[in-house]
């Protein structure tokens, strides 16, 4: 008796390859954090959606926008339009100031000092950003510093805007934020790259570091008092990141080369994005590799190899394949 014709046999549909879940950590860095927009573009271009996001300072700001369901393209367009109105922004901030900063956005010399972070937040965030953590499309963890407890506070519920405002309340520039009876400041003081708060949250953890590194004195040997004051926070943040990476690394670590930009040089928006172009391609390559490898590992046995073909060695584990140690 002849075997049944294979063409007449019912077709068994192939099981869809599952993608690894991804947890995304967006670090702090002031204007250097504008580079986060390009990293978010990678997720959109690859059709990926993070399972959870953690953010510090400007990383919390862009994380909140993306977690609200806004595309990277929309976030970029809004940021570009907002930063193009530099003098209008300066006047707006002056009207809401609480106390003297010597300069903000390198636009106008100011006589007064600390600014309200919520005011800047209202300008930076698109109107469609959620008001409460419960309304987010993607879970978000915002890192701030408890001033009196001198410890990290991870916020993942309640009012979203006060949480982000607290996370970006850089000392000497913005007033602290009071929330639930706690006085909160810039999360970068304790955790400038919060990939560790995502431990166990997903298959793969991606960390975007925009803390930058010193390029040397350049043409100006002596920093101004204000530049030294603000930059001291960046030195602290970079040191914290280096020490964290000695103890633990995320699966994918991207160190964005935005060292040449000052923490307040938001007006150099286009230049920051240009400088971050290489990091965007690096992230895209590493995520592509993760997806390709994971899909191959998840193929049904009948598709991965036939009984007539020699058995191939199993691919390197996903964790080992994706991990990249910083230089």
């Amino acid at each position: 008796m002849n075997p049944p014709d294979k063409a007449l046999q019912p077709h068994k549909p192939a099981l869809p390859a599952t993608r690894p879940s991804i947890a995304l950590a967006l670090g702090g860095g002031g204007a250097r954090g504008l580079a986060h927009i390009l990293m978010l573009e990678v997720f959109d271009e690859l059709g990926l959606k993070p399972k959870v996001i953690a953010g510090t300072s400007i990383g919390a700001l862009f994380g909140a926008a993306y977690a609200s369901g806004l595309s990277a393209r929309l976030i970029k367009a809004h940021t570009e339009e907002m930063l193009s109105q530099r003098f209008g922004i300066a006047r707006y901030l002056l009207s809401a100031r609480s106390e003297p900063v010597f300069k903000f956005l390198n636009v106008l010399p100011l006589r007064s000092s600390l600014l309200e972070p919520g005011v800047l937040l209202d300008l930076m965030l698109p109107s469609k950003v959620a008001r409460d953590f419960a309304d987010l499309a993607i879970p978000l963890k915002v890192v701030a510093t408890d001033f009196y407890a001198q410890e990290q506070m991870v916020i993942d519920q309640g009012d979203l805007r006060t949480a982000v405002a607290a996370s970006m309340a850089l000392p000497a520039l913005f007033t602290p934020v009071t929330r639930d009876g706690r006085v909160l400041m810039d999360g970068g003081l304790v955790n400038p790259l919060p990939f560790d708060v995502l431990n166990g949250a997903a298959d793969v953890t991606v960390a975007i570091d925009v803390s930058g590194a010193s390029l040397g004195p350049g043409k100006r040997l002596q920093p101004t008092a204000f530049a030294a004051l603000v930059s001291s926070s960046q030195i602290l943040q970079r040191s914290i990141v280096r020490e964290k990476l000695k103890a633990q690394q995320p699966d994918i670590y991207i160190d964005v080369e935005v060292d040449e930009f000052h923490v307040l040089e938001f007006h150099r928006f286009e230049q920051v994005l240009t400088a971050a172009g290489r990091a965007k391609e690096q992230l895209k390559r590493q995520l592509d590799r993760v997806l390709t490898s994971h899909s191959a590992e998840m193929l049904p046995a009948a598709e991965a190899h036939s009984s007539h073909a020699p058995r191939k060695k199993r691919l390197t584990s996903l964790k080992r394949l994706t991990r990249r140690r910083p230089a």
Side-chain angles (χ1 to χ4, degrees):
M1 183 175 179
N2 294 329
D5 190 343
K6 290 184 179 180
L8 299 178
Q9 293 180 1
H11 175 67
K12 188 175 182 180
L15 295 174
T18 60
R19 287 182 162 187
S21 58
I22 298 175
L24 175 62
L26 301 175
R32 295 166 174 171
L34 294 168
H36 285 317
I37 296 173
L38 291 193
M39 309 304 120
L40 296 175
E41 284 183 351
V42 172
F43 282 82
D44 286 349
E45 291 167 6
L46 295 179
L48 296 175
K49 179 181 178 181
K51 182 180 179 182
V52 59
I53 299 173
T56 294
S57 196
I58 195 164
L61 188 150
F62 287 125
Y66 199 67
S68 295
L70 277 64
S71 68
R73 180 184 59 80
L74 193 154
I75 295 170
K76 180 180 180 180
H78 173 83
T79 305
E80 187 172 21
E81 179 183 5
M82 186 274 300
L83 292 177
S84 68
Q85 304 169 16
R86 292 163 55 195
F87 288 93
I89 293 171
R91 285 193 297 269
Y92 185 72
L93 290 170
L94 271 169
S95 67
R97 67 184 183 271
S98 55
E99 287 175 56
V101 190
F102 305 116
K103 284 187 178 181
F104 183 78
L105 296 176
N106 291 348
V107 176
L108 295 175
L110 307 180
R111 295 182 179 178
S112 253
S113 140
L114 299 182
L115 302 168
E116 292 287 351
V119 176
L120 179 62
L121 196 63
D122 288 339
L123 288 167
M124 292 286 288
L125 284 179
S127 59
K128 294 183 180 180
V129 170
R131 309 294 299 191
D132 193 281
F133 280 88
D135 300 324
L136 293 171
I138 301 172
L140 175 68
K141 296 178 182 292
V142 173
V143 176
T145 299
D146 187 314
F147 178 74
Y148 289 108
Q150 299 181 13
E151 63 184 13
Q152 167 180 282
M153 180 177 180
V154 179
I155 310 171
D156 58 7
Q157 58 184 344
D159 184 78
L160 178 62
R161 294 186 178 237
T162 57
V164 176
S167 184
M168 59 186 288
L170 184 68
L173 186 59
F174 295 108
T175 54
V177 173
T178 301
R179 178 187 166 106
D180 299 329
R182 303 174 74 173
V183 178
L184 305 177
M185 303 174 70
D186 183 21
L189 297 174
V190 288
N191 197 346
L193 187 60
F195 60 85
D196 53 315
V197 306
L198 298 172
N199 285 345
D203 298 322
V204 177
T205 300
V206 176
I208 310 299
D209 184 3
V210 293
S211 60
S214 174
L215 290 178
K219 297 179 180 179
R220 191 166 192 172
L221 297 178
Q222 184 69 28
T224 64
F226 179 63
L229 180 64
V230 175
S231 295
S232 62
S233 175
Q234 295 303 115
I235 294 171
L236 171 66
Q237 292 186 29
R238 188 67 175 179
S239 298
I240 293 173
V241 170
R242 281 198 298 260
E243 291 303 312
K244 283 182 61 177
L245 291 172
K246 290 178 183 178
Q248 175 188 356
Q249 293 89 36
D251 299 301
I252 296 178
Y253 169 73
I254 304 296
D255 189 3
V256 188
E257 296 181 5
V258 285
D259 313 340
E260 66 180 278
F261 304 101
H262 188 274
V263 63
L264 295 180
E265 290 185 323
F266 285 92
H267 63 287
R268 299 179 69 186
F269 174 73
E270 292 294 342
Q271 293 163 282
V272 173
L273 296 192
T274 299
R278 184 187 300 180
K280 175 182 178 179
E281 293 308 312
Q282 180 188 357
L283 176 60
K284 197 167 187 176
R285 286 195 304 271
Q286 293 199 31
L287 284 175
D288 264 331
R289 184 179 299 154
V290 169
L291 298 177
T292 302
S293 306
H294 188 79
S295 297
E297 287 191 354
M298 295 301 293
L299 282 174
E303 294 185 35
H305 56 81
S306 68
S307 59
H308 302 291
R311 194 181 187 95
K312 293 183 178 180
K313 292 183 179 180
R314 180 176 171 81
L315 291 172
T316 308
S317 71
L318 183 62
K319 291 288 183 183
R320 184 176 177 182
L321 181 66
T322 58
R323 193 176 303 282
R324 291 290 181 273
R325 286 182 177 273

